[in-house]
Amino acid sequence: MKLRTVLCSTVAALVACAATVAAVPAPGPASGARPAPASGSALDRVALESALDGVHRAGVPGVFAEVRDNGRTWRGASGVADVTTGRPVTADMRQRVGSITKTFTAAAVMQQVEQGRIRLDAPIGGYLPRLVPGERGKRITVRMLLDNTSGIPDYLRYAFPSLAAFPSLPDISTESLDDNRFRRFRPEELIEMGLAAPPAGEPGALPGVYSNTNWLLLGQLLEEVTGTPAEEYITRNVIERAGLRHTGFPSGTRIKGPHSRMYESFYGLIDPPRDYSVYDMSWTGTGAALVSTTEDLHRFYARLLGGGIVSRASLAQMQRTVPVIALDGSMIEYGLGLHKVTKDCGTFWGHDGSVWGAGTISLTRADGKRQMSVAVNLQRWNEPDSSGVPQPHPIDGALSTLYGEALCGGETAGLAP
């Protein structure tokens, strides 16, 4: 799996990982990286700082990251959180982490599987007959929602109608991004949009097709079997169980605590990129609405992969992957709310996420000894050529270099963008 896909293939990318931003001026200090312990550490502080600064120089206003190796931690930040004021980005900032939320939701569902309230291979129509009635409800199982093989299409192009003709850039506008900024969606209406659209495939057919509609249905399933709003259940039983202090579902349109502005370019259609850090995230809900920090993401994935949030048997189910077509059209290995990424230096598990203006990725090696989380405050930077096809951008190569250093620590020169 190409790591450039990991950063930009989910939620708001709609269907293209080239999805991230036109270059913007890079004012402000070049780096806020914190030194890591030098003695006995496999982390190359100088190389990590240089790679992080390279992402900023390539055009991302602000980037911050945390890398852990055998108990040692490096944190770094480069660039600005606000292009107008020059306020620097810092490594402890909160970030809208997009589809990384899906791993949290999947863990919550697996807890209910362990308690016998949900069966993975039971039809979803047996739990939610009103939302998924008839033959479709009988054929689609809970597992198919979790591994994106349900055949239910994504609702995003219907919730954001000005993007309906995507990826034909000449035929779309970004008007609906602004129209929906303060709109409060109900999960049921978004689910209905997805179910009313032409199917993306047959239930259970491979490859699966990544769809956010699945994850709103899983949120409704959690609410049905627990009698508690899904966000509340996930907060109490996943976020708090993992000991996360800076992670949660937003209660309004603003992020609480220190955070960056979040700049969306949408392939050059928004020039200069617009700040969407204030946004009603009901359009993503249990699929992509969480706010977190790189430190919390590492704590979460360490606990999850270590058997501290779900049982080892449940984790084994989550790590059973199938081929899935991501929103950018690439093929990924997808389990139950987990991406699998295999590199020469090991197998990594985690997820990535993209919402308007914010991109995040968090990966943990199977042995738990190496972790990487990277956050950027610019999305969909790849501008199109004369035929409307988004083109490679220096940011892609800079992120590839950063990922290679962060994941493999010099074992791999870089990862193909």
Side-chain angles (χ1 to χ4, degrees), residues 67 99 118 145 157 210 385:
V67 181
S99 283
I118 294 174
L145 298 175
R157 64 178 65 248
Y210 192 96
D385 61 13

Side-chain angles (χ1 to χ4, degrees), residues 1-10 43 64-70 72 74 97 99-100 103-104 293-305 319 321 332-335 337-353 359-375 399-400 402-408 415-416:
M1 174 181 178
K2 294 180 180 179
L3 281 210
R4 74 173 180 91
T5 303
V6 179
L7 184 59
C8 31
S9 68
T10 51
L43 300 177
F64 54 100
E66 178 176 295
V67 181
R68 296 185 179 187
D69 183 85
N70 283 312
R72 295 177 173 86
W74 171 87
V97 298
S99 283
I100 291 174
T103 311
F104 288 74
T293 63
T294 57
E295 181 181 18
D296 267 11
L297 291 178
H298 283 165
R299 183 176 288 114
F300 166 67
Y301 279 111
R303 289 292 303 276
L304 176 68
L305 298 173
Q319 292 178 317
T321 64
I332 61 176
E333 292 185 71
Y334 201 86
L338 283 173
H339 282 290
K340 180 182 180 181
V341 178
T342 303
K343 305 310 302 176
D344 290 343
C345 60
T347 297
F348 293 81
W349 295 94
H351 217 291
D352 65 310
T360 315
I361 178 172
S362 186
L363 294 173
T364 295
R365 199 165 64 194
D367 63 7
K369 294 181 179 180
R370 188 82 169 198
Q371 294 185 286
M372 174 197 80
S373 289
V374 177
L399 283 170
S400 172
L402 175 60
Y403 296 156
E405 184 60 42
L407 290 178
C408 298
L415 302 173

Side-chain angles (χ1 to χ4, degrees), residues 21-43:
V21 294
V24 298
S31 176
R34 302 178 187 177
S39 176
S41 175
L43 300 177

Side-chain angles (χ1 to χ4, degrees), residues 58-194:
V60 173
V63 53
F64 54 100
E66 178 176 295
V67 181
R68 296 185 179 187
D69 183 85
N70 283 312
R72 295 177 173 86
T73 300
W74 171 87
R75 297 185 184 94
S78 184
V80 297
D82 188 321
V83 298
T84 301
T85 67
R87 173 170 58 95
V89 70
T90 59
D92 60 350
M93 283 185 162
R94 295 183 179 183
Q95 170 92 336
R96 295 197 191 277
V97 298
S99 283
I100 291 174
T101 306
K102 291 177 171 62
T103 311
F104 288 74
T105 299
V109 170
M110 295 307 297
Q111 289 175 351
Q112 290 301 299
V113 171
E114 292 171 10
Q115 295 181 31
R117 293 178 178 169
I118 294 174
R119 290 184 298 117
L120 281 177
D121 296 309
I124 189 60
Y127 298 102
L128 302 173
R130 182 181 61 84
L131 281 176
V132 196
E135 188 64 21
R136 209 176 197 180
K138 295 176 183 177
R139 296 182 63 194
I140 295 172
T141 66
V142 175
R143 186 189 300 273
M144 292 175 193
L145 298 175
L146 286 162
D147 66 11
N148 289 298
T149 61
S150 70
I152 300 173
D154 202 289
Y155 60 80
L156 286 175
R157 64 178 65 248
Y158 307 102
F160 293 84
S162 72
L163 304 178
F166 190 86
S168 178
L169 295 180
D171 298 318
I172 67 172
S173 81
T174 59
E175 180 181 0
S176 55
L177 274 68
D178 295 305
D179 291 343
N180 288 346
R181 186 188 286 268
F182 299 107
R183 179 175 175 180
R184 171 60 51 167
F185 285 100
R186 293 179 299 105
E188 296 87 350
E189 68 178 307
L190 295 171
I191 290 168
E192 288 172 5
M193 291 176 189

